[in-house]
Amino acid sequence: MSQSARRNAKVPGSEMTAMLIIFVSTNAFLTYPRYISLSGYEAAWMEPVFSGMLTLILFFLVEHLLRRYFKNLDIVEVSKEVFGRFGAILIALLFSLYFLCSTAAVMREFTENVVSTVLPSTPILIVGAVFMFAVGYIVYGGIEGICRTAFIFLPILLVGLVAVCLLTVNWWRPYMLLPLWGTGPEQVLRGSLQYSSIFANVLLLTIIYPHVHDTSKMRRIGFVSIVVSTLLLVGLMLTYHMVFPASETGKTSFALYRLARMIHLGPFFQRLESIFIFLWVTAATVRMAVTLWGCSYLLGKAFDWPTYRPAVPALVLLSFSLGMWPENWIQVINFDGTYLLRWGWIVVFAVPIAVLSIGAMVKLMRGGGRFHGGHRGRRRMQRV
Amino acid sequence: MDMSFTGALKRLLTVDDSMLDDQFTLADDDSSEPADTYGETPQPETVNFTTAENKTDTSKKPVSMRTFLRRATREYEDAVEKAHVGQDDGIECDIDEMKRRLERFFHLPQNKDIVIREFRVGVESKSPWRGMAVFVDGLSDKNVINSAILEPLMILTHVSEENPRRTLEYVVEKLLPGNQSQIVDKWSEAVANILTGSTVLFLDRCNGALVIETKGWEHRSVSTPQTENVVRGSQDAFTENFRANTGLVRARLRTEHLVTEIHTVGNLARTDVAIMYIHGVTNPKLVREVRRRISQIDVDFILDSGMLEQFIEDRPSMLIPQVMATERPDRVAASLAEGYVALFVGNSTYCLIVPVVLWSLVHSSEDSNIRFLPGTFMRLIRWIALLTALLLPGLYVAVTNYHSEMLPTDLMLAIAGSREQVPFPVVVEVLLMEFAIELIREAGIRIPSVIGPTIGIVGALIIGQSAVQAGIVSPLLVIVVATTALASFTVPNYELSMGIRIMRFAFLIAGAVLGFYGIAILFVVYVVRLTMLKSFGVPILSPIAPSSGASRDVLLRGPLWSMNKRPSFLYPLRSWRQKPMSRPWSAPTRKSAGKEGGET
């Protein structure tokens, strides 16, 4: 393998920011709006705000720990330092499983959305297979390819989401946002915590940290990505709840499509929902590529594979099979809501913070010094 | 009558399979004679080339790819070595030996292109001093040979020196008025110079030869560009003359730092390849990489820049070109000033610029010559045209097949009405029309100019009127296909335009099979592929992905006075190309610079 092939991929801050924004904002056309609408009713738009604030605080905390104690190390390498190889494998398997399930759930939800909206006569297997092929292809491009693609498609996402919000202006009924606190502050806060796992920035940070071109910009990357994605989600939820009454919003699993169908600006600009498929496809492929890349990368790191790429086809097939396992869409939505969304925060926030905190304490108890990835003989370079 | 009847009867009753006999075949090498055998003329020292050497022995069992490659490489190297045998030797003193060698090298007397003019230099001593001038008929300027070589040596010269080496130098310094002359001492150099149109002078008792520049073959003079026309800008283009082409660039870019390195490529026939760059601006690593790729090309013959391009680009299988071919000297000069490297190949009318980024393939040299707002507008039109050429047929099929609800009712009814008489599915209809357009395009290039206008009439009648009247295609589709064809002509780069022509069919199929979903998936996959593609180490989507601080000359055209830096993806040695405040006399500019702190 040539020297250039072994280099660790380095991604500029702007591309990393774009990837994180797309990763979080993609939830706008998955089941997230449905669950927070059920949880908060008229105050559903507040839940992304609280979740975003929580994520921001935890992001800065994790970034601080990484910068201070584990410079240029990812979560698997930190786990190896703290818990040994076996512990690192367990943690990597946990994250990989989460990513795999997330990929499978999003794949099924997304393909069901496509089949039920624009391709009703096409078999779901074909739609899903084409989609997974595209995702697998992007993952082959590595984190550099994924982030560059995200950067190119970010304007489509921004323009699309803002357009959906603004083009429904003739249906807005601001009074439908009242009562302001919806189901009550306590319920809203609980929902914010429960469904905060969509902000996977913290977990992703612990994986991509060594691949950021300039780690000193990590705080800025985190801040911008969390704020922008929060604003997009809030804007969408506000629009959604101004167009549909709160009691209706929890009944549909594809808020964006429902909003897009409502666009009617004269006889020419109407029923534009098909156009938004470009938005869904570009964003969903990037998001799933990130989770699948994370899954394969972590496995590669845990088991010391020289490269993760040979695992990609197997993982694509696995996530496709997992996604097609449930008999119907409702089962997928229930699984997503019950496990991934509701308890995902444990994997997304709690475990990484716990690992880093324990690692930092162990390091302090051992006598202070800092871990530096560059000096670790056990660390193997992997082509990403 | 009787004879013909008998003959016909005889033919009926006899088996005559002589029609199956080959009158001539190249395949069987058993009885072939050496290729250099010519009549009964005895040959001087020759190297025998036979086709038997290239015979592949199929009786052996299959070999591994590694063995096959090793064997093929060895065969090729042996053939090259055989063809060049003796060329690395030095030049002898004996002129008769020199002549024998020349006859062997150039396959005389069969080869009539090579002229050996023997003569005697005017000397005052009794012993004659023989010499010969060797040149290629048709490549060299005979007037120069007569007036600047033969006449001075034969008529005007009176030499009394005896030392051979000194005499040769003396000839250069005192006797030959040619403007370029050089002493060489290797046969390979002498042969190469003869083949490039120079005249090589051999003198008895001199272990060297004199190369005199006499190139002068017929070629087209500089004329207007064929594929890159502009309204505002220079109207000259490269021609089939290597040095005239380099001169056209140097005439524009008058700096002493402009370097032109000349290399040769080809084992059978050498082709000059010039690498042009600006010392102190272009990144030396880029120049080294260009040099490395060119020097490692191991091929018999390269005719044109289009062939060289395929040997040096990163991924030849991609539809997007990774080298920019241009016929405009002004574009080459501008690119060199940015920090790119230019390549001139033999007598090619196109120059190659490396590396290339996708965005620059949509730029035109006219963009810099017009003000930035019209320039931006034109670029915007080109981008829309590019997307139209790529996606419009696919989108049309997707909308009519899968997403008809998004059309306003009136328009949908109009489309349905126009398609009422058409018996084919939409995709077949589009493919038929696209095929017809491709035929017209291809025929338009090859059709003799005398009957050129016919193609327009035939095309218009067939596609525009008859097809619709016959109910083969719908009128709306004619508009779609015509718009697509127009849009594809708007793309300034020919290679990119070709790539889009082909990719359009992929998007058409994707749209027919999966509607917008298929188009979107294919688009994503292709963008991902592009993000991974590089041209000479530069990502082809630079400076957008990866994003790097660059002047506003990417998608749109920024004001010239604010584009202060060279493209950062080239890592030039001088990043600033002008002062941050390039219009210091202007009060608004000063104010703007004060606010922004220097635009980059």
Side-chain angles (χ1 to χ4, degrees), chain B residues 246-258:
Chain B
T246 55
L248 282 172
V249 176
R250 193 171 276 279
R252 282 173 172 77
L253 201 61
R254 285 186 274 177
T255 165
E256 69 277 23
H257 299 301
L258 180 62

Side-chain angles (χ1 to χ4, degrees), chain A residues 261-277:
Chain A
R261 276 195 76 154
M262 297 299 291
I263 295 171
H264 189 98
L265 300 173
F268 198 83
F269 295 102
Q270 43 102 37
R271 296 294 305 274
L272 297 179
E273 66 271 15
S274 299
I275 288 181
F276 289 96
I277 198 163

